[in-house]
Amino acid sequence: MSVVVSPRRSIRFTAWTLTGGSVLAAAAFAWPFFVGAVPADAQVAVPIVAFALIPALIVGLVLTLDREMYTAKTVALLGVLSAVGAAVRIAGAGVGGVEAVFVLLILAGRVYGARFGFLLGLLTIAVSSLLWGGFGPWTPFQMFACGWVGAGAGLLPRWSITTVQRWRIRCEIALLAGYGVVASYLFGLAMNLWFWPFAVGSGSGISYEAAADPGQNLASFALYSLVTSTLTWDTVRAITTVVGIVLIGPAVLAALRRARLGPRR
Amino acid sequence: MFRLRLAPLRAAVMLAVGFVLLRVVYRVVFGGAGAGLGPVLLDLPRLQLDAPFSHITLLGPITLLGLGNAALSALPISAVIVFFGLLNAIINVQALFARGAGRGPLRAISRSLVIAWATFPALLESVRRVRVARALRGERSIASLLVPVFEQTIERALALAASMETRGFAAARVVPGVCEAPVVLADAGLNFRGDWHLDDLNVTLAPGSLTVIVGATGSGKTSLLHSMSGLFQHFYDGVQHGSIDIAGADRAATPPRDTAGCVGLVAQNVRLGFAAETVHDEIGFALAVRNVAPSIVHARVLELAARLQLEHLVDRPIEQLSAGEASLVAIAAALVNHPILLLVDEPLADLDTNARERVCTVLGQLAHEAGVCVVIAEHNTSEFALVADAWLQIRGSRLHEVPLEQVLTTDDTEDTAPKSNASASAVPLASIRRLSVRHKDHLAVDAVSFNVPAGELIALRGSNGAGKSSLLRAIALPTAADTVIVAGHDVHSLKRRTRRQAVALVPENFDDLLFAITVAEECRRADSGLTGADTAQTFARLLGFDTAADATPLFERHPRDLSAGERLCLVMAIQLAARPALLLVDEPTRGLDHRARSLVSAALFTAAGHSAAVIFATHDDDFAQSLASRTLRMHAGRLTAPIGVLS
């Protein structure tokens, strides 16, 4: 006999776990701005705590989601799609860092929901990092940020207006492309946030200074972000994402939705 | 657990060096490279920014000490990067997933990772295939590459999911099977989305019997088989009426995963369903997901491998199997739980004669010696004539038990299509001159030369591996000048667009050419850039309609929702859009039944009217004889009978 947990309760439980985990993770991403609030003696420990918190949260959330994902179809789709994502990411690194992986995360998150999108983000980064070798302390942060991109796509509004199919597809593509732009820039900001103190080190104009007031740190961060990624990588990523979603979005959405339906005969 | 792979370490070292350089650049740009009293290397002007960036100064003097300090300060983090690269280089994370995939709290994620890993080779292969397909269609858009690759990937995921489901993945309980009654269908009916139904099913199958389900493509052989495996009801969302009891379990209420202990399934395309990395783990999969102790799994795998004579394959990676070996491994994997009922879907489709015999013998032994109830869906019926105990034929929406003779005779009747009676003109339409194709160190096509007169419908015959497909592809996409001349043009020198007007190929895996979301869009896409092309009209004609308007319901559908015969006609219509002088079709009847074959044969005949000549490669004797005006025979890369004229 197996214990039957009411699905509703278990879903609500994982929803709370996911939300709570994401809030904690967001705090860990923004650690440079929390240092001032901590007693001076403990300030050194803040980045270390942040670094330990993210992997711990990933393990916790994955443990929570693992049970829920334990069906053959979900596991197979998750595995195969994360391989596609990893391949896209590795192939993209070969052509001047064109980041097209968001296209897949957004489309799959949209069709299969926030949890699937979140896990797909985590796994895509995990697989590509292990395969290509870009594994390091930043990997958990990347995994989380990509998980958010996928999950966010799953949370976008759905509508059931019975308009012409062609227009419905266009609206959906426009929505996803818009989300893609927002996600690209936010992803860049989030990734810069936790790494900025390490990337720049101390002693330069845009360095992070624990003792300085938050306004000054924010300005330094803004400039750092602008020159390192917002104007370059993030813009390239936003453009790639929009172009990708517009070009292959309708066909990929159709393929993903058909997979849910049934056999090919 | 441990192994040495240098690539991750190399990548980490590159990253670390990049990180140090980046740190130095930051210091230079944001005024931090002027520390110390050493000599100033470069005195750049200081630039003070305005609010809110007033605390930031750009540039400023650069000293050697300043640069050194910047680089030094980056070293700890660089060391961390290299350290992680080293870990990644020596720890075999894959092995960790494989361990976690069997049991433990992360088994779903670990299994996903194992699948992801195993998907990479398939992805590369898929990209290679689709690149050829889009060159054949004359497309260059990114969608024409990515969409077919993606569709193939999703197809793989579904096949994999079905195979894991029937082998007990994520099972909540184990149904103890009742050996005496493997299959009992009483007043059962099946219905799929209103498109297809099968009624009045009353079937009882005994242990130790071998039953073959026969019927036309699309008649629902596979659906009937899966109504027994449970995939029809629980995976494909089909509707079941009446009662279907499999090994004592009510199928409508029992998902496939719960009957994995007593029902084994060998799917149609076995390679797509492989969920593990080695033959050993694949055979033992159904036990591993049930948390059976590894030593027991190992013993059982060796026992089965010995029984099916697969011992030499046990440690082989799963992707290195030949088609015949893959079928036998899939059968072994389905037998690992000692099933009461074994369901096999078209086991012979991709096999050569030797492998077919071996698979038939194995299945016969299982039924008659081991007492398993074996049910096979297959349209290559003659191979099972010696071992089958009963034949079930699907006709219309009913199932009939028929004697062997009737199965064989109904399968052989072929309505003869009208023969082309084109007058061969003196000047050949196309000439192939010393065309060769080399695959690595093997010469697939060896200096083949022949002429194609206009108006011909030529059959290209020969056994598996004779070089038929290679020859057709080389005619469509020649790699050397002066080897293929069509209507006075050297095809090699033609541009993408003009090449489509000379020669077009419908490859064996024709689905790779499709990438739109409706049939109508697919047709529009084919027409673009061509004056006077009307692919929709051509498609309707190939299907036997008079005008495109008669086929309207088809045009709004997703191309991949069409039947195999209809899809082939769609791809033919697309390839005919530019009115190629020469149309090549590779294996147009593969996997098609009698009715779909007549559709295709009529379509080929119509196509011959749209282009000046058609060459088609086929295995099918009747099909070739009923249609072809000439026959070319190929053996080991050479033509054995250059343009043999049929009587």
Side-chain angles (χ1 to χ4, degrees), chain A residues 15-264:
Chain A
W16 280 110
T17 320
L18 272 180
T19 317
S22 292
V23 170
L24 271 178
F29 266 90
W31 71 268
F33 293 100
F34 285 97
V35 173
V38 176
D41 296 345
Q43 285 188 356
V44 188
V46 170
I48 296 163
V49 170
F51 272 50
L53 190 60
I54 293 280
L57 282 171
I58 287 179
V59 172
L61 292 184
V62 165
L63 279 172
T64 316
L65 286 173
D66 195 80
R67 276 194 81 80
E68 210 176 298
M69 290 294 152
Y70 200 54
T71 70
K73 223 178 211 179
T74 320
V75 165
L77 278 170
L78 199 54
V80 164
L81 290 179
S82 54
V84 173
V88 165
R89 193 158 175 259
I90 293 167
V95 279
V98 177
E99 282 272 17
V101 73
F102 279 16
V103 178
L104 179 74
L105 294 184
I106 291 172
L107 296 173
R110 169 77 178 170
V111 175
Y112 297 135
R115 287 145 214 247
F116 188 95
F118 183 76
L119 278 181
L120 184 61
L122 293 192
L123 289 193
T124 298
I125 298 299
V127 172
S128 62
S129 304
L130 289 172
L131 199 70
W132 173 68
F135 192 78
W138 54 85
T139 308
F141 286 88
Q142 271 178 336
M143 286 166 75
F144 232 106
C146 278
W148 278 332
V149 171
L155 296 176
L156 291 174
R158 274 152 217 281
W159 56 85
S160 51
I161 317 162
T162 48
T163 46
V164 190
Q165 193 199 3
R166 218 151 141 205
W167 282 104
R168 206 173 56 223
I169 293 170
R170 280 183 193 175
C171 288
E172 187 171 28
I173 292 300
L175 172 76
L176 293 179
Y179 171 74
V181 172
V182 175
S184 298
Y185 285 108
L186 286 183
F187 174 85
L189 281 180
M191 286 306 290
N192 287 338
L193 193 51
W194 70 273
F195 193 57
W196 154 55
F198 301 101
V200 187
S202 57
S204 82
I206 54 166
S207 284
Y208 165 68
E209 281 183 50
D213 65 298
Q216 181 186 327
N217 272 335
L218 202 61
S220 302
F221 172 66
L223 191 63
Y224 165 75
S225 221
L226 207 64
V227 292
T228 45
S229 81
T230 309
L231 290 180
T232 52
W233 302 117
D234 294 349
T235 305
V236 171
R237 187 182 291 126
I239 293 170
T240 330
T241 307
V242 169
V243 170
I245 287 178
V246 168
L247 278 184
I248 63 164
V252 168
L253 285 174
L256 291 171
R257 290 196 168 122
R258 275 157 37 75
R260 222 171 16 181
L261 273 177
R264 287 141 196 233

Side-chain angles (χ1 to χ4, degrees), chain B residues 298-383:
Chain B
H298 184 64
R300 183 82 184 113
V301 168
L302 292 187
E303 182 198 327
L304 271 170
R307 193 154 122 203
L308 299 184
Q309 293 163 17
L310 298 170
E311 292 104 326
H312 58 292
L313 299 177
V314 166
D315 295 317
R316 193 92 58 90
I318 203 86
E319 71 269 10
Q320 288 177 12
L321 300 177
S322 74
E325 289 166 347
S327 292
L328 289 168
V329 167
I331 292 174
L335 290 176
V336 78
N337 271 325
H338 293 291
I340 298 166
L341 173 65
L342 180 68
L343 304 166
V344 191
D345 196 2
E346 303 212 1
L348 306 182
D350 285 325
L351 305 188
D352 59 29
T353 321
N354 280 340
R356 283 180 176 206
E357 258 169 41
R358 200 159 158 217
V359 168
C360 285
T361 315
V362 164
L363 291 174
Q365 280 169 353
L366 282 171
H368 303 129
E369 288 168 27
V372 180
C373 173
V374 180
V375 183
I376 302 162
E378 182 62 72
H379 59 237
N380 292 302
T381 43
S382 51
E383 272 89 348

Side-chain angles (χ1 to χ4, degrees), chain B residues 215-219 221 379 411 589 591-598:
Chain B
T217 310
S219 65
K221 293 191 293 289
H379 59 237
D411 206 51
T589 58
L592 298 187
D593 66 358
H594 167 65
R595 234 179 56 210
R597 268 195 339 226
S598 0

Side-chain angles (χ1 to χ4, degrees), chain B residues 467-532:
Chain B
K468 302 189 297 294
S469 296
S470 303
L471 174 63
L472 289 187
R473 192 202 286 184
I475 296 175
L477 300 168
T479 50
D482 270 331
T483 48
V484 181
I485 313 292
V486 176
H489 300 287
D490 179 5
V491 175
H492 179 68
S493 66
L494 293 179
K495 291 266 183 295
R496 191 166 55 93
R497 281 180 184 281
T498 41
R499 194 179 62 221
R500 289 176 70 195
Q501 290 160 3
V503 55
L505 168 63
V506 177
E508 197 177 339
N509 38 329
F510 49 81
D511 281 342
D512 293 351
L513 269 72
L514 301 173
F515 61 93
I517 55 174
T518 61
V519 173
E521 200 184 315
E522 208 71 78
C523 292
R524 268 200 300 277
R525 185 89 205 190
D527 291 342
S528 71
L530 298 168
T531 44

Side-chain angles (χ1 to χ4, degrees), chain B residues 448 461-462 631-644:
Chain B
V448 165
R461 313 284 310 278
T631 299
L632 287 171
R633 272 181 203 287
M634 237 183 140
H635 178 71
R638 289 165 180 268
L639 288 182
T640 49
I643 303 275

Side-chain angles (χ1 to χ4, degrees), chain B residues 548-630:
Chain B
D550 297 335
T552 310
L554 285 179
F555 285 104
E556 286 313 307
R557 294 178 64 180
H558 195 287
R560 282 164 205 264
D561 284 338
L562 301 178
S563 75
E566 289 165 345
R567 285 204 305 277
L568 178 59
C569 288
L570 175 61
V571 174
M572 264 204 288
I574 290 169
Q575 292 298 71
L576 284 170
R579 292 201 152 256
L582 181 59
L583 178 71
L584 313 169
V585 188
D586 197 1
E587 293 288 350
T589 58
R590 183 170 175 269
L592 298 187
D593 66 358
H594 167 65
R595 234 179 56 210
R597 268 195 339 226
S598 0
L599 174 69
V600 170
S601 100
L604 271 180
F605 195 71
T606 316
H610 283 260
S611 59
V614 176
I615 304 180
F616 62 99
T618 185
H619 277 307
D620 192 324
D621 289 323
D622 300 330
F623 184 79
Q625 278 170 16
S626 66
L627 203 59
S629 56
R630 281 161 190 264

Side-chain angles (χ1 to χ4, degrees), chain B residues 73-144:
Chain B
S73 73
L75 283 185
I77 290 178
S78 296
V80 172
I81 296 174
V82 174
F83 173 70
F84 272 90
L86 195 65
L87 280 187
N88 202 0
I90 57 171
I91 296 178
N92 186 356
V93 193
Q94 258 170 286
L96 287 181
F97 305 154
R99 274 189 202 183
R103 60 194 69 217
L106 288 179
R107 53 195 175 164
I109 304 296
S110 305
R111 178 59 64 189
S112 294
L113 287 169
V114 170
I115 292 170
W117 225 261
T119 304
F120 276 106
L123 263 181
L124 289 180
E125 179 54 34
S126 180
V127 169
R128 224 170 286 142
R129 249 175 67 179
V130 175
R131 281 173 94 155
V132 174
R134 79 172 176 158
L136 291 175
R137 187 169 170 174
E139 277 286 343
R140 265 197 310 203
S141 71
I142 192 90
S144 68

